[in-house]
């Protein structure tokens, strides 16, 4: 029996997008003032965060809802909440 790679397992998942209601909002003023490490760019297993023109951008649609970024960031830099009921990731195991 073949074991699936992490990437293959993640590809099985399904996302119900809540258009217009991001569950992650980055406060770039706090990032620029307080954060030199930019841990979000390294700790997120789904690569949700990127740096564009010096600003941190969260592509929240691909979030795995693991909560890692909420530990890595100062709380005032990140507004994070679970997606509304019925939205977000649906894990499927193959
Ligand atoms: S989102 Fe968090 S980890 Fe990323 S730059 Fe801002 S404060 Fe730092
Ligand atoms: S909760 Fe997990 S998957 Fe979602 S943005 Fe944070 S680190 Fe990435």
């Amino acid at each position: 029996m073949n074991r699936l790679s992490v990437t293959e397992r993640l590809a099985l998942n399904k996302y119900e997008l809540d258009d217009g209601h991001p569950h992650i909002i980055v406060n770039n003023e706090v990032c620029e003032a307080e954060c030199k490490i930019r841990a979000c760019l390294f700790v997120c297993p789904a690569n949700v965060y990127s740096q564009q023109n010096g600003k941190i951008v969260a592509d929240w649609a691909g979030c795995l809802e693991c909560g890692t970024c909420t530990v890595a960031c100062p709380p005032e830099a990140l507004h994070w909440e679970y997606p509304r009921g019925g939205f977000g990731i649906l894990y499927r195991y193959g």
Side-chain angles (χ1 to χ4, degrees):
M1 187 172 114
N2 287 340
R3 288 176 63 94
L4 296 179
S5 68
V6 172
T7 304
E8 288 169 329
R9 285 177 187 270
L10 289 176
L12 295 172
N13 295 326
K14 189 171 170 239
Y15 300 86
E16 290 292 341
L17 293 186
D18 193 2
D19 278 336
H21 295 93
H23 71 284
I24 301 173
I25 298 173
V26 178
N27 184 338
N28 266 282
E29 287 183 10
V30 177
C31 298
E32 287 167 21
E34 297 185 19
C35 185
K36 299 285 184 276
I37 300 174
R38 307 263 150 153
C40 59
L41 300 176
F42 306 101
V43 301
C44 175
N47 291 324
V48 163
Y49 297 94
S50 61
Q51 194 161 353
Q52 298 176 21
N53 299 320
K55 304 280 188 198
I56 298 294
V57 175
D59 184 11
W60 53 274
C63 177
L64 303 174
E65 300 171 29
C66 68
T68 305
C69 56
T70 66
V71 178
C73 285
E76 61 274 16
L78 201 61
H79 174 78
W80 192 103
E81 59 188 6
Y82 282 107
R84 297 191 297 172
F87 294 102
I89 190 167
L90 298 170
Y91 281 101
R92 296 195 288 200
Y93 300 94

